[in-house]
Amino acid sequence: MKVLVAVKRVVDYNVKIRVKADRTAVDLANVKMSMNPFDEIAVEEAVRLKEKGVATEVVAVSIGPTQAQETIRTALAIGADRGIHVPSDAEVQPLAVAKLLAAIIKQEQPQLVILGKQAIDDDSNQTGQMLAALLGWAQGTFASKLVISGDHLSVTREIDGGLETVSLALPAIVTTDLRLNEPRYASLPNIMKAKKKPIDTLAVDTLGVDIAPRFKTLSVDEPPKRVGGAKVADVAELVAKLRNEAKVF
């Protein structure tokens, strides 16, 4: 079974985000970038499937600038076999990502595609669902456990009421939640081996996908600073503050 994993280059989760002075976007100058944490979980799960003998090949795909190849190398160091890079310096929104991945999937013919449930930069949580719709494949979102048996996949997913287990016919799309696994650290020998693993480059034009943005960001603002707490004398004063200051009702 071939498994395809999508990985995204994002601002490292430990970095404090800064907004540009003109409020058009987040300031990425001299900012540490890394693989999206949910995508790390996706890569780890794919590699575990290979180690169990369920998967025969793991392919890591990333869409973005030249530096996205570093993210692919990270996936290769974790255990992926080869990478595919789709270069793009322009903003690529979730629908465009889903269409690009669908075009690559039609070429690669994987039986399972694993993605992080969302990226921590835009928090869209849309790509996996859009991809499943474009391909007409079964989908299991927010997965906390995967079990493959023959041509079916059992996915335990997290929902508001607890856990739900669904059975999917392969091929299928799975998006990962935090509790699916604990990603490993890439060892130095594996990092060195990853440098020799192949990364193919596919141009957007050759995939026949229009990646023009469908929506425009008007402005980006930092969240308002939290104010200190205050004590109230009684319930009447609390209600008055909630109504007049907090405007909650």
Side-chain angles (χ1 to χ4, degrees), residues 63 86 88 90-101 103 134 203-214:
I63 301 161
V86 181
S88 176
E91 178 188 9
V92 186
Q93 294 175 355
L95 179 58
V97 173
K99 288 181 176 180
L100 289 169
L101 290 175
L134 290 171
V204 171
D205 294 341
T206 63
L207 295 172
V209 176
D210 177 16
I211 65 169
R214 297 308 199 265

Side-chain angles (χ1 to χ4, degrees), residues 76-167:
L76 297 177
I78 294 173
D81 298 294
R82 60 186 176 91
I84 298 174
H85 178 220
V86 181
S88 176
D89 291 322
E91 178 188 9
V92 186
Q93 294 175 355
L95 179 58
V97 173
K99 288 181 176 180
L100 289 169
L101 290 175
I104 293 170
I105 288 166
K106 289 175 182 177
Q107 292 183 10
E108 292 290 328
Q109 295 293 309
Q111 287 71 52
L112 177 63
V113 178
I114 309 179
L115 310 86
K117 70 171 184 177
Q118 65 195 74
I120 63 172
D121 53 0
D122 58 16
D123 278 331
S124 292
N125 182 20
Q126 295 174 334
T127 304
Q129 294 89 328
M130 287 178 172
L131 179 59
L134 290 171
L135 295 172
W137 287 13
Q139 61 175 306
T141 56
F142 315 116
S144 60
K145 183 180 179 181
L146 300 183
V147 179
I148 296 178
S149 178
D151 60 352
H152 280 74
L153 171 67
S154 175
V155 178
T156 301
R157 56 191 304 267
E158 301 192 359
I159 59 175
D160 291 341
L163 298 177
E164 175 186 65
T165 301
V166 295
S167 179

